[in-house]
């Protein structure tokens, strides 16, 4: 059986659906820090704070968990506002997952991030092996996490696999509003474009970041986890890339569908975080080792997001009538 920690977060919502589809809903145990709201109790769910190692071990044993997708954690923006909590959850949570994986011989997915890159990392075609000197607490926990994963893989033979995910663009499902990330603009902008025809962006128009559609990110995770272990040569975390674009390029692509959409810019503390990251990433190692390839480019992301949100809006409208 599969346990997903942080299953109600931005990435978790999409990943859980894909895992349920592939392995069956009864084999996917969701979990999160807070009790779920009153929506359908159809699917298995456990309240779990990942810093509670004993409760994690109890859930793993009681529900014959053999694989953990460990998504629980604080993202970059929230992590800068609460650095101590970010360290505690992101590091101690991961350590608990790796400890139970070692004792129960579990397989683990760990999401790292382009946030591991910092001021001295080459900004274009960032190599797989390079300088990682992040300036955010979130990035520091991700570099540490990658090294912890490599240690457990090499020292204890734990089958833990990881991807350095770019900014993820996906539908904010009913329970996963943007979770305090610096790349959340690329999600919020779609809702604002449809609802108010205008958006105030917290990054400057020329800010260019590596991004990926949620459908591509979920497929990358599943393909990584289903690859033969002999193909997994990077035991810290694989660079994976899809598209890189500036905020202005995203706005222009949305305006092709919504000509009257306007975006204004009010950079805040997240601009410094974005400026510390890279613009494009070399993911040739992931493509060579386990056959990674992206499918959604910018125009496909924009048309798919707008179409999905339009149909969500029609559904909600229908429900209200
Ligand atoms: C964040 N979405 O913004 C996450 C991610 C590369 C960005 O790590 O913090």
């Amino acid at each position: 059986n599969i346990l997903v920690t942080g299953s109600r977060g931005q990435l978790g919502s999409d990943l859980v659906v894909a895992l349920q589809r592939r392995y069956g809903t009864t084999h996917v145990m969701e979990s999160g820090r807070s009790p779920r709201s009153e929506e359908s109790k159809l699917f298995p769910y456990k309240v779990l704070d990942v810093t509670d190692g004993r409760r994690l071990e109890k859930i793993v044993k009681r529900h014959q968990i053999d694989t953990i997708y460990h998504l629980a954690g604080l993202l970059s923006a929230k992590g800068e506002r609460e650095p101590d909590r970010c360290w505690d959850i992101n590091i101690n949570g991961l350590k608990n997952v790796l400890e139970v994986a070692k004792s129960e011989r579990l397989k683990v997915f760990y999401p790292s991030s382009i946030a591991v890159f910092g001021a001295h990392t080459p900004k274009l075609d960032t190599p797989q092996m390079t300088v990682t000197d992040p300036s955010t607490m979130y990035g520091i926990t991700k570099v540490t996490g990658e090294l912890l994963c490599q240690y457990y893989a090499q020292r204890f033979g734990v089958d833990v696999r990881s991807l350095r995910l770019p900014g993820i663009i996906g539908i904010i499902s009913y329970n996963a509003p943007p979770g305090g990330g610096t790349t959340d603009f690329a999600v919020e902008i779609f809702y604002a474009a449809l609802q108010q025809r205008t958006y105030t962006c917290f990054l400057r128009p020329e800010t260019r970041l590596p991004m990926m559609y949620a459908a591509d990110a979920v497929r990358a995770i599943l393909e990584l986890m289903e690859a033969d272990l002999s193909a997994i040569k990077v035991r810290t975390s694989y660079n994976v890339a899809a598209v890189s674009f500036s905020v202005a390029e995203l706005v222009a692509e949305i305006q092709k569908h919504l000509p009257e959409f306007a975006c204004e810019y009010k950079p805040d503390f997240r601009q410094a975080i974005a400026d510390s990251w890279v613009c494009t990433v070399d993911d040739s190692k992931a493509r060579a080792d386990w056959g990674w390839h992206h499918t959604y480019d910018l125009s496909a992301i924009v048309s798919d997001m707008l179409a999905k949100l339009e149909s969500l809006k029609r559904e909600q409208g229908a429900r209200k009538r």
Side-chain angles (χ1 to χ4, degrees):
N1 292 329
I2 292 169
L3 172 67
V4 182
T5 68
S7 68
R8 295 299 161 99
Q10 208 177 3
L11 186 57
S13 315
D14 289 306
L15 180 64
V16 164
V17 170
L19 288 169
Q20 288 172 336
R21 210 173 280 148
R22 188 173 301 228
Y23 299 103
T25 51
T26 57
H27 295 291
V28 180
M29 172 70 73
E30 289 190 67
S31 70
R33 208 176 48 246
S34 42
R36 60 181 163 182
S37 55
E38 282 325 297
E39 99 284 353
S40 75
K41 302 272 185 211
L42 273 181
F43 305 136
Y45 180 92
K46 287 286 174 200
V47 175
L48 170 64
D49 176 333
V50 290
T51 59
D52 180 349
R54 293 167 57 79
R55 175 154 173 78
L56 171 62
E57 190 179 358
K58 206 182 323 180
I59 291 174
V60 164
K61 288 180 172 170
R62 183 171 302 165
H63 298 279
Q64 293 88 39
I65 301 296
D66 53 40
T67 307
I68 296 180
Y69 288 79
H70 178 47
L71 305 184
L74 261 62
L75 293 177
S76 59
K78 215 166 177 184
E80 283 312 284
R81 286 196 298 267
E82 303 176 71
D84 294 341
R85 192 158 161 264
C86 183
W87 174 266
D88 181 32
I89 293 172
N90 291 11
I91 296 296
N92 295 324
L94 174 61
K95 185 86 170 38
N96 288 337
V97 166
L98 291 172
E99 271 301 304
V100 73
K102 172 181 150 197
S103 59
E104 303 300 317
R105 309 313 302 160
L106 310 182
K107 196 171 177 184
V108 176
F109 172 71
Y110 172 66
S112 183
S113 159
I114 57 160
V116 299
F117 302 127
H120 299 91
T121 309
K123 292 233 182 269
L124 298 176
D125 290 332
T126 304
Q128 174 64 54
M129 288 300 285
T130 185
V131 175
T132 50
D133 58 344
S135 53
T136 61
M137 177 57 90
Y138 170 73
I140 291 165
T141 69
K142 288 299 169 185
V143 172
T144 310
E146 290 186 1
L147 294 171
L148 216 48
C149 291
Q150 179 174 255
Y151 182 82
Y152 272 77
Q154 293 177 341
R155 176 83 192 277
F156 305 118
V158 171
D159 183 3
V160 50
R161 308 177 186 195
S162 179
L163 299 176
R164 284 170 180 166
L165 293 171
I168 305 293
I169 300 176
I171 297 291
I172 307 174
S173 66
Y174 55 96
N175 58 29
T182 300
T183 57
D184 289 349
F185 72 91
V187 178
E188 296 164 355
I189 195 168
F190 287 97
Y191 290 77
L194 279 176
Q195 282 148 14
Q196 298 100 20
R197 292 288 189 273
T198 173
Y199 177 61
T200 302
C201 185
F202 52 75
L203 297 180
R204 283 195 300 272
E206 68 277 8
T207 307
R208 173 181 299 275
L209 289 169
M211 306 295 287
M212 188 182 286
Y213 201 37
D216 267 346
V218 166
R219 181 171 52 80
I221 293 169
L222 293 184
E223 288 176 4
L224 173 81
M225 291 299 275
E226 288 166 2
D228 194 285
L229 180 55
S230 61
I232 310 300
K233 310 229 179 14
V234 172
R235 306 315 308 260
T236 46
S237 188
Y238 276 98
N239 286 1
V240 280
V243 287
S244 289
F245 49 77
S246 67
V247 182
E249 286 166 340
L250 175 57
V251 170
E253 192 62 33
I254 292 173
Q255 286 168 335
K256 287 181 188 169
H257 300 260
L258 301 166
E260 67 287 7
F261 171 58
C263 184
E264 57 175 22
Y265 300 92
K266 286 201 178 116
D268 67 15
F269 76 100
R270 289 168 283 191
Q271 185 65 54
I273 296 176
D275 290 344
S276 73
W277 291 347
V278 298
C279 299
T280 63
V281 167
D282 171 6
D283 62 359
S284 51
K285 198 87 180 76
R287 291 172 190 262
D289 288 2
W290 47 275
W292 164 242
H293 70 282
H294 76 283
T295 45
Y296 286 84
D297 61 7
L298 177 57
S299 63
I301 291 172
V302 169
S303 44
D304 198 68
M305 272 295 273
L306 290 174
K308 275 209 186 100
L309 284 172
E310 287 280 8
S311 63
L312 262 180
K313 209 164 79 173
R314 275 196 302 277
E315 270 166 40
Q316 275 157 356
R319 263 207 294 274
K320 282 200 188 86
R321 267 197 290 280

